[in-house]
Amino acid sequence: MNVRRSAAVLAAVAVIGAATPAAADPSPSPSQAFPSALYGGTDPKYDGVWRQSLALLAQDTVGVQPAAKSVEWLARQQCAAGGFASYRPDPTAACDAKTMLDTNATSAAVQALTALGGHDDVTSKAVGWLKSVQNEDGGWGYSPGGASDTNSTSVVIGALAAAGEKPDQVVKGGKSPYDALLKLALPCGGDGDGAFAFQPDKKGGLAANADATAAGVLGSLGKGMVVEPGEKSDTTCEKATTPQQAAANGAGYLTAALTKDDGHLMSALAGAEPQPDHGNTADAVVALAAQGDTAQAEKSVRWLEKNSAAWAAQSGPAAYAQLIFAAHATGTNPRDFGGADLVKQLNATGPAPRTAGETKAADEKDDSGSGSSFGIWWFVGVCLVAGIGIGFLFSGRKKKQQP
């Protein structure tokens, strides 16, 4: 997921002609001051909203109440149009034409804030914005107007589903998001054998991409980042005429790739030595579990338990969240993940979560309708009494004015 986001950011930056590479500074200078509500200690310029959303969603998944200020920080990152940028240092400043809105950040924020509840106004505007920037082929690119890609289309589908929308009914140019994904699915046979491509190349060709395939399986199933194990289905690769068949084909490709490399995926970044890809492996575990291919998902999550500690510590909150999602999807205890407490490690990357006492106090607080039902009806009663008094006052004045 982190690799996917880096690639998407680089593509988007190239489209708008920016010269700055999209790579977070792993060691920010002491003079850099990041918001205290933010999770992670690296430069949030390209992934602030993304990693915050994943951190909050993962906490909610394991029953942890995030710090109120961290949730509020995420909600305030929204622009007036409804979309989210990757990161806005000053959320009080209005977004302008130079603010690069981001479908991935927006979709992640929708999934997190919907799960946490209490932000229907924010998520509704965000969903409206996502619909407004849908491409004619039914899909989405990383930034508005960008060519549709499997990863962006799939994370938007997850946001739509989380918000109670029916993705197949979100249509542009007569095409739904599922139509876009089917166009990005490779046929059976050959090197691709049912995988998904990230995007077509300049000649319209499709190349198998394991990370895009993990995303495409989830998207084709209409699922977000947090899933429950699905029902086992036939993984025989057949022509994909439905999103369900495309998901089954993609799952078969992932299983073969994971089996080939001893339970994990390998990175394939240009110019870099191949190495185990922990993030993409975690995404593949979630996708396989959602598809019902739990046997391979459980084998791969065991590999992650043994090998992901150093990667997660270096990568930060989004990585811990990915591992928590993989643990949840396979019924693995995230508080004893190969001997590590993923929940504790995630919590340590940001503000301390709310305690049970703080949560209870917040629930009981009478704050303009957000407190107890007694407080609400007390307020209504006061208004009624005041209204009756005002009525008598006006009635008395009227009588005095009569001749």
Side-chain angles (χ1 to χ4, degrees), residues 24-195:
D25 180 4
S27 54
S29 65
S31 61
Q32 289 177 303
F34 303 138
S36 63
L38 183 66
Y39 280 79
T42 57
D43 191 341
K45 183 175 182 180
Y46 296 106
D47 76 338
V49 168
W50 178 264
R51 77 192 193 207
Q52 188 84 347
S53 300
L54 266 64
L56 300 182
L57 182 58
Q59 287 180 322
D60 178 78
T61 300
V62 295
V64 172
Q65 287 281 341
K69 69 176 183 179
S70 294
V71 180
E72 185 62 22
W73 179 90
L74 177 59
R76 293 184 66 207
Q77 285 288 300
Q78 186 177 46
C79 291
F84 285 71
S86 298
Y87 172 69
R88 293 201 295 139
D90 181 10
T92 64
C95 301
D96 56 24
K98 295 181 180 179
T99 304
M100 182 178 165
L101 298 182
D102 170 349
T103 62
N104 289 231
T106 302
S107 298
V110 168
Q111 293 191 49
L113 293 173
T114 299
L116 293 167
H119 293 84
D120 291 351
D121 55 337
V122 175
T123 57
S124 177
K125 285 182 63 177
V127 168
W129 180 80
L130 288 169
K131 290 180 179 180
S132 74
V133 298
Q134 185 177 17
N135 290 333
E136 293 290 331
D137 62 5
W140 285 267
Y142 175 84
S143 55
S148 297
D149 66 75
T150 296
N151 302 74
S152 298
T153 300
S154 296
V155 75
V156 173
I157 288 175
L160 294 172
E165 298 280 341
K166 295 182 178 180
D168 62 330
Q169 295 180 13
V170 178
V171 177
K172 185 73 171 291
K175 302 292 185 180
S176 79
Y178 297 126
D179 292 313
L181 289 181
L182 286 172
K183 288 184 64 176
L184 291 163
L186 277 73
C188 300
D191 293 335
D193 201 23

Side-chain angles (χ1 to χ4, degrees), residues 268-273:
L269 297 177
E273 288 292 327

